[in-house]
Amino acid sequence: MDPRAVVQKKLSADETCLICTETALLLDYGKSPRYLAVVEKQDDHAIFLFTTSRVPVLSAGDLSVDQVLPVDSDLGCFLDSSNTVKSSDNPQAFRLRLKSTQHDLLLELPQQQSTTDLLGQIKSAKDLYTQNAGFGCRSTFSWLSKYSGASKNPFQDDVFDPLAHMNLTSNGIGQTVDVAAAERQGFEDDFSNMLTLNASNLANSQSRDSLDMLDRDEDEPDTVYNIQRQLGIGYGLEMPVGQKPVTAREVFVKRYMAQREEEFTNIEKLTVFCGTWNVNGQSPKEPLKEWLVVDDEPPDIYAIGFQELDLSKEAFIFTDSPREAEWQKAVKNYLHPKAKYRKVKSCRLVGILLIVFIQEKHIPNLHFLDSDQVATGIMGIMGNKGGVGIRMSVHNTSFCFINSHLAAHQEEFERRNQDYRDIDAKMKFKQFSPPLTIKEHDITFFIGDLNYRIYGMPIDEVKYNISNGLNGKLLPYDQLYMQLGKSDVFSGYSEGPIHFQPTYKYDVGSDNFDTSEKCRVPAWCDRILWKGAGVRQIRYDSHPQLRVSDHKPVSALFDAGIRVIDVEKSKKVYEDVMKKLDRIENEYLPQVKLDNTEFVFEDVKFNEPQKRVLTVANIGQVPVEFEFINKLDDISFCKPWLNVTPCKDSILPGDCCDISLMVFVDKDTAGDLNSKAEKMDDILVLHLTGGKDFFIPVSGKYIPSSYGTPIETLVQMHGPIREVAVGDLISFGTSMRTNTTADSSLQPYICPKEISRLVNHLFKYGKEQEDLFLQPGKQAEIQMIRDALDTGNPDLIPGSVHSVAEAMLLFLESLPQPVIPFAQYQTCLDCSNNFLLSKQALQKIPQSHRNVFKYLCAFLRELLKFSDKNNLEAKFLASLFGNVFLRTRPGKEVGSPLARREKARLEEAKKAAFVYHFLTNDYDE
């Protein structure tokens, strides 16, 4: 029997057991079995420890309340490493110490999912307490008194307990709300390098969250988060933190409080320094004082972004870079000397590094930290282009800092726009549930090498205007200036007047514009933009004194108004809101109207999204919270080819919410749809909290593609896949498994014709192309290439060489069974240090897969013969194609984050070594 259901029977009707797990209380004389539960009542949480007469527990009579600990600022959770108690006979268990003003308990818990969930609930409860304390509304937890003795509070069983919301004890004595202590607790939990790691191993370089060991003292106690991190039992979406609401009641309290925010907040000013510099792969050879210390008074916040931190080919694939430590140290050494700073966070994606510092005096008011990264390079995963972001809250104002490096080259104007759109749409701060987006912040700074150029003016005229200080004549030709405020690109952002010379491109070590053979047109590539109310730019400058790079650094100083809560005023507003909410909850039920109850998507193609909008209108008298919920036995509320945003939200009476339904067939879902193992049919269940459920059918017609089709099927198709009947596609796959052919009159191809077409095109038109496999293609061209392969028309593959290169990599990534099948993956890794053993391992894979591997390696060897022109290196190609040829079978990763990262690093090296053998040696069976 579920112990949570048993515990629920021991509680009052308005109290809910959120989770319960078996544990053991460690005593001087041994262990005693217990059950540990987290109980909630109207946003208050407490930890209950029950004695039990038997294990497993079967009825409520088996349990008795032993200890009750309120989840408040006094509660401490520590990983206990003492040896005062005998070692556990369970090597998979660990010891958790729970301490409060009245309790000190040592527990033994198993390392399993129930423990992860339990710690997650405690963490979420502490964050919620911190938030409410910030409003000046700390509970007395008077409802717990009935579990520990006679009660003196006559209101304890009421829905609205005035003593709980007025910070009064039962004898009428006021309690002081220690807001600073509450915020310190939240700061401690969130400041300790919280990161949600990206599971992709290819060029998603995630540095350590901080190289500055002063960020956390060695004797700092272990928090719930640190316990999870040390035990490797998971964190991320299952650990929601911060200000995003977690319960229906909290949703509406937050919404109503926000509506009346002006009644209890004051505006204070902070100065924010933003700096950006493309350092061209160089080390910090010059003092940074001319860039970082140009103002008389020290800024409160530094946000410093670098691009092209490391230009080595290995940096595109592997995670570590010595350049990061060099620049981190240099920046720290040259912060303003009139103030003491603490590093908040740093985040790196290959050569894109963002570092945020804040003056130490603001640390007690700093909370809810997180970071994320979005790669926009080739295949959407190579981190040579993209963006990194760091978010934080100071007092009651949220900040988001984005550092980006967008697509290069003057003519790639639209590609830069798409890079911005990708960063804006894909960056999610996952420590919140649901994840926060860039748009959900009060103030956002977007900095970096945005790469927008001066277009349409001859270079001689550009230089003449610069030399005569006529920058105003250049701005109308600036690609970013032309569209700022006139399109969806950087919509809502502002940029201050530009009074400095273009920051790109210079001869390194000088102030002379590019005199090389390419003779680039000078441009303002390096920019600083902002969005949000209460922000005023004080200055906007470049710093030409620094000459180590072909770019000049840029900085801007801002005044930012932040909201500071008046605790006494907020307490009064909070009381009014709670009373209003109680009255509404008792009088009304949620009611909504949907503008559509069924969605049909026509002609869905691989890698080409289709979007529809569902509008939900609140036609009732009470705020509505909705959420899409899982169907019976499903692990997700929708199929993997369907994306729904937002998946949960709240709607005030009279308001509407637009929900995006996007169908997108990618490399992970195409295989099952091609083979008809999966149909494009789903039913969404829209659940109203406290109301009914709506069932919304979603279906589509998927057009089969060669992308996501097995090699065994492709070699038997003698015509384009669009001309092959679905039944024949299935029979092709079946015949290969039974060693027969679907049509005995036709011999299978040695290599799929689609791969041959891509390879022949690249060799004919791209073998001498610089930056091949580094420069991303255009999405529209990749879709045209897909259609050309699937229909056979036109004969000449459309699009640029870079688009064809990315299309080929995507084709190989989409194979349901990779070039080296899953079954041979580990064997190939094990023999990667020996060419002879690698050749023997290759003999064990199916003939059609072996032919593709040999063919592609031969093609890559030919490309390397032109390395003097295309700048390709065998090590880089081995690393890139190693991740394409050898892929692990999809599944949940196990082990701690540190162990997973180390395992991934070793496997990256082995995959590259395996492929390297065949790029540097002729392979003959």
Side-chain angles (χ1 to χ4, degrees):
M1 189 173 182
D2 183 1
R4 186 175 58 176
V6 178
V7 169
Q8 188 63 55
K9 296 179 181 180
K10 304 284 291 185
L11 306 175
S12 300
D14 57 349
E15 298 166 3
T16 304
C17 178
L18 301 178
I19 191 169
C20 180
T21 188
E22 185 181 342
T23 184
L25 179 64
L26 299 182
L27 305 168
D28 292 338
Y29 53 83
K31 295 188 297 184
S32 178
R34 294 288 192 275
Y35 277 92
L36 189 67
V38 177
V39 176
E40 182 261 348
K41 177 181 178 179
Q42 293 190 359
D43 294 345
D44 284 351
H45 295 78
I47 297 174
F48 280 60
L49 192 67
F50 294 92
T51 59
T52 179
S53 59
R54 55 182 166 182
V55 177
V57 64
L58 298 178
S59 66
D62 297 336
L63 296 178
S64 299
V65 176
D66 183 23
Q67 307 279 355
V68 179
L69 292 77
V71 178
D72 56 15
S73 58
D74 294 327
L75 179 68
C77 302
F78 311 105
L79 183 65
D80 189 88
S81 57
S82 66
N83 295 316
T84 57
V85 184
K86 285 187 177 182
S87 298
S88 170
D89 54 4
N90 182 2
Q92 297 300 316
F94 74 98
R95 292 172 182 169
L96 178 71
R97 185 174 294 276
L98 296 177
K99 293 187 69 174
S100 67
T101 54
Q102 300 178 358
H103 302 86
D104 187 357
L105 306 176
L106 184 59
L107 305 172
E108 183 178 88
L109 291 162
Q111 288 195 38
Q112 59 189 30
Q113 187 60 43
S114 62
T115 301
T116 304
D117 297 339
L118 177 78
L119 293 175
Q121 288 287 356
I122 297 175
K123 181 69 171 65
S124 179
K126 291 183 69 176
D127 290 329
L128 182 56
Y129 179 86
T130 301
Q131 176 183 324
N132 289 340
F135 284 125
C137 305
R138 186 174 66 175
S139 172
T140 61
F141 292 95
S142 54
W143 59 279
L144 298 178
S145 59
K146 61 178 175 286
Y147 295 106
S148 57
S151 171
K152 297 181 181 180
N153 179 7
F155 302 104
Q156 66 178 26
D157 293 321
D158 292 349
V159 172
F160 179 77
D161 179 356
L163 299 187
H165 295 292
M166 295 172 60
N167 298 317
L168 298 174
T169 61
S170 56
N171 60 8
I173 300 175
Q175 291 186 322
T176 301
V177 178
D178 188 356
V179 177
E183 290 178 336
R184 280 197 300 273
Q185 182 65 46
F187 171 80
E188 178 186 47
D189 284 341
D190 286 310
F191 194 76
S192 303
N193 300 329
M194 282 190 155
L195 270 178
T196 302
L197 299 178
N198 192 313
S200 172
N201 293 327
L202 179 58
N204 260 328
S205 302
Q206 178 69 63
S207 70
R208 291 184 301 276
D209 191 37
S210 174
L211 297 178
D212 187 345
M213 297 307 294
L214 294 177
D215 279 355
R216 182 174 183 270
D217 296 331
E218 290 299 317
D219 57 353
E220 183 180 346
D222 290 301
T223 62
V224 172
Y225 165 76
N226 290 324
I227 294 170
Q228 288 188 308
R229 184 178 60 181
Q230 293 174 45
L231 295 171
I233 56 177
Y235 53 96
L237 289 178
E238 72 275 17
M239 288 285 292
V241 303
Q243 289 183 321
K244 214 150 190 194
V246 293
T247 67
R249 193 175 182 85
E250 184 188 350
V251 168
F252 304 122
V253 170
K254 181 177 175 64
R255 182 71 63 89
Y256 286 128
M257 292 293 289
Q259 289 180 343
R260 301 177 60 179
E261 191 174 52
E262 292 183 358
E263 299 179 33
F264 58 86
T265 56
N266 302 313
I267 303 298
E268 295 183 1
K269 295 292 185 181
L270 288 184
T271 53
V272 180
F273 176 103
C274 293
T276 177
W277 193 9
N278 182 320
V279 296
N280 194 32
Q282 303 299 311
S283 296
K285 301 173 184 176
E286 302 173 308
L288 304 184
K289 184 177 180 180
E290 299 291 342
W291 177 35
L292 301 180
V293 189
V294 295
D295 304 295
D296 293 335
E297 295 301 318
D300 294 287
I301 299 171
Y302 272 101
I304 302 166
F306 294 98
Q307 307 83 41
E308 295 191 1
L309 194 78
D310 192 335
L311 295 178
S312 66
K313 294 291 195 299
E314 290 78 7
F316 286 71
I317 305 297
F318 300 111
T319 59
D320 295 325
S321 171
R323 291 281 188 269
E324 179 181 3
E326 294 175 1
W327 282 102
Q328 292 244 21
K329 182 178 179 181
V331 168
K332 184 176 180 181
N333 289 340
Y334 286 99
L335 297 177
H336 206 293
K338 292 184 179 180
K340 292 184 178 181
Y341 290 92
R342 176 86 172 266
K343 187 168 75 172
V344 177
K345 253 186 187 300
S346 66
C347 184
R348 181 174 69 87
L349 173 70
V350 186
I352 308 168
L353 173 66
L354 176 62
I355 319 169
V356 176
F357 290 88
I358 193 168
Q359 285 195 33
E360 284 190 352
K361 66 182 181 181
H362 298 301
I363 286 177
N365 304 312
L366 179 71
H367 42 243
F368 307 135
L369 314 176
D370 201 3
S371 64
D372 193 29
Q373 54 179 290
V374 175
T376 62
I378 189 167
M379 294 170 61
I381 54 177
M382 289 287 282
N384 53 321
K385 295 294 187 290
V388 297
I390 293 174
R391 68 91 55 210
M392 64 187 191
S393 293
V394 182
H395 281 288
N396 205 39
T397 298
S398 58
F399 288 84
C400 182
F401 300 96
I402 308 295
N403 175 31
S404 68
H405 192 187
L406 308 186
H409 305 303
Q410 189 176 47
E411 67 280 2
E412 293 291 344
F413 170 69
E414 185 51 45
R415 180 69 202 193
R416 284 187 277 280
N417 290 347
Q418 187 58 47
D419 284 352
Y420 160 76
R421 295 185 186 105
D422 289 343
I423 293 169
D424 186 62
K426 296 179 181 179
M427 186 161 291
K428 310 286 186 183
F429 297 101
K430 303 178 183 66
Q431 293 296 330
F432 298 80
S433 179
L436 275 176
T437 64
I438 295 175
K439 295 181 177 69
E440 294 180 276
H441 291 84
D442 298 317
I443 298 174
T444 301
F445 294 98
F446 204 114
I447 68 177
D449 180 0
L450 306 187
N451 253 324
Y452 288 101
R453 308 301 174 92
I454 294 173
Y455 187 77
M457 180 181 285
I459 185 171
D460 293 337
E461 188 176 348
V462 171
K463 290 185 176 180
Y464 172 81
N465 287 321
I466 293 172
S467 62
N468 288 278
L470 302 175
N471 291 337
K473 291 189 175 182
L474 300 178
L475 282 173
Y477 296 89
D478 177 79
Q479 292 174 330
L480 179 57
Y481 182 86
M482 285 189 283
Q483 63 181 341
L484 199 60
K486 303 172 185 176
S487 73
D488 67 314
V489 178
F490 290 101
S491 176
Y493 285 89
S494 300
E495 184 180 26
I498 298 177
H499 299 301
F500 50 87
Q501 289 189 354
T503 57
Y504 173 85
K505 176 179 184 179
Y506 291 84
D507 292 336
V508 175
S510 76
D511 293 327
N512 302 320
F513 287 110
D514 185 20
T515 59
S516 69
E517 182 180 348
K518 294 182 178 179
C519 198
R520 305 281 193 191
V521 179
W524 287 290
C525 289
D526 310 282
R527 313 290 274 266
I528 297 175
L529 294 85
W530 79 90
K531 179 169 62 174
V535 179
R536 180 180 68 89
Q537 188 177 75
I538 300 172
R539 62 166 185 83
Y540 191 18
D541 301 304
S542 72
H543 305 275
Q545 308 93 325
L546 298 178
R547 303 179 176 89
V548 72
S549 172
D550 57 354
H551 289 248
K552 300 298 183 182
V554 173
S555 71
L557 189 68
F558 300 90
D559 263 341
I562 63 168
R563 300 185 300 274
V564 180
I565 292 175
D566 184 312
V567 175
E568 291 302 318
K569 292 180 180 178
S570 73
K571 181 169 61 176
K572 293 179 181 179
V573 174
Y574 183 83
E575 291 172 7
D576 290 342
V577 168
M578 294 297 294
K579 292 176 182 177
K580 178 180 179 180
L581 190 58
D582 286 336
R583 184 173 62 254
I584 290 175
E585 287 177 344
N586 291 331
E587 294 178 357
Y588 300 102
L589 291 175
Q591 298 181 53
V592 300
K593 181 179 180 181
L594 311 184
D595 71 332
N596 198 346
T597 56
E598 183 176 5
F599 292 85
V600 179
F601 293 82
E602 297 290 345
D603 296 335
V604 179
K605 296 181 180 180
F606 173 83
N607 203 41
E608 188 170 325
Q610 287 192 32
K611 182 179 176 181
R612 301 283 188 276
V613 174
L614 167 66
T615 300
V616 181
N618 185 349
I619 60 174
Q621 302 298 314
V622 62
V624 170
E625 184 185 45
F626 71 82
E627 179 180 9
F628 288 94
I629 60 174
N630 297 358
K631 297 177 287 295
L632 186 64
D633 298 329
D634 284 358
I635 60 174
S636 176
F637 70 83
C638 67
K639 298 288 182 67
W641 44 263
L642 178 61
N643 180 265
V644 181
T645 53
C647 61
K648 61 186 298 186
D649 206 344
S650 61
I651 314 172
L652 292 178
D655 285 352
C656 297
C657 179
D658 289 336
I659 302 171
S660 168
L661 306 182
M662 187 177 72
V663 167
F664 183 65
V665 179
D666 60 10
K667 58 187 177 66
D668 297 321
T669 55
D672 286 341
L673 290 170
N674 278 334
S675 66
K676 297 300 178 181
E678 169 74 25
K679 292 183 179 180
M680 190 164 276
D681 288 302
D682 199 3
I683 297 177
L684 298 175
V685 182
L686 179 64
H687 172 71
L688 304 184
T689 302
K692 65 179 182 178
D693 294 341
F694 294 84
F695 297 89
I696 306 168
V698 179
S699 62
K701 177 186 176 183
Y702 178 65
I703 300 176
S705 173
S706 53
Y707 284 78
T709 299
I711 290 176
E712 293 89 343
T713 301
L714 292 171
V715 296
Q716 292 190 86
M717 289 193 322
H718 285 259
I721 193 169
R722 296 272 181 91
E723 299 177 4
V724 178
V726 174
D728 291 339
L729 278 177
I730 299 173
S731 67
F732 284 148
T734 305
S735 62
M736 286 301 292
R737 288 192 294 270
T738 58
N739 294 319
T740 63
T741 58
D743 187 342
S744 58
S745 65
L746 299 174
Q747 291 297 320
Y749 288 108
I750 294 176
C751 180
K753 58 187 180 301
E754 293 81 7
I755 295 178
S756 299
R757 288 189 68 188
L758 293 167
V759 166
N760 290 337
H761 185 96
L762 285 174
F763 187 74
K764 184 176 181 179
Y765 300 103
K767 59 180 177 290
E768 297 181 359
Q769 176 66 52
E770 185 179 359
D771 290 337
L772 189 65
F773 296 117
L774 283 175
Q775 184 74 19
K778 296 180 178 179
Q779 191 62 34
E781 292 182 351
I782 293 173
Q783 291 171 358
M784 293 167 60
I785 294 167
R786 173 209 61 206
D787 288 342
L789 297 178
D790 290 348
T791 63
N793 293 308
D795 292 334
L796 179 63
I797 295 179
S800 68
V801 168
H802 295 301
S803 294
V804 176
E806 183 169 357
M808 187 180 78
L809 289 170
L810 181 59
F811 190 97
L812 298 173
E813 276 272 292
S814 304
L815 293 170
Q817 278 280 349
V819 176
I820 303 295
F822 295 128
Q824 280 75 42
Y825 174 82
Q826 192 59 48
T827 301
C828 291
L829 292 191
D830 292 341
C831 64
S832 61
N833 62 343
N834 184 288
F835 181 44
L836 179 60
L837 293 177
S838 296
K839 289 197 295 183
Q840 292 175 358
L842 206 59
Q843 293 300 312
K844 298 178 182 179
I845 73 173
Q847 181 69 47
S848 57
H849 285 252
R850 187 161 68 250
N851 289 342
V852 171
F853 182 85
K854 291 169 58 179
Y855 180 64
L856 290 171
C857 286
F859 164 61
L860 297 177
R861 288 197 299 270
E862 289 298 312
L863 286 183
L864 289 171
K865 293 179 181 179
F866 299 90
S867 59
D868 58 326
K869 296 182 179 179
N870 58 34
N871 295 328
L872 289 174
E873 298 175 0
K875 289 184 178 179
F876 169 70
L877 289 178
S879 297
L880 177 60
F881 280 85
N883 283 283
V884 176
F885 291 159
L886 294 122
R887 307 197 311 265
T888 55
R889 194 183 301 275
K892 188 175 181 180
E893 296 184 80
V894 296
S896 68
L898 181 62
R900 293 200 301 267
R901 289 198 297 271
E902 180 63 19
K903 181 175 182 288
R905 187 186 67 81
L906 292 175
E907 290 187 355
E908 295 286 339
K910 290 181 179 180
K911 287 188 283 189
F914 181 85
V915 176
Y916 186 78
H917 289 309
F918 298 95
L919 300 187
T920 54
N921 298 282
D922 289 332
Y923 172 50
D924 186 1
E925 295 183 1

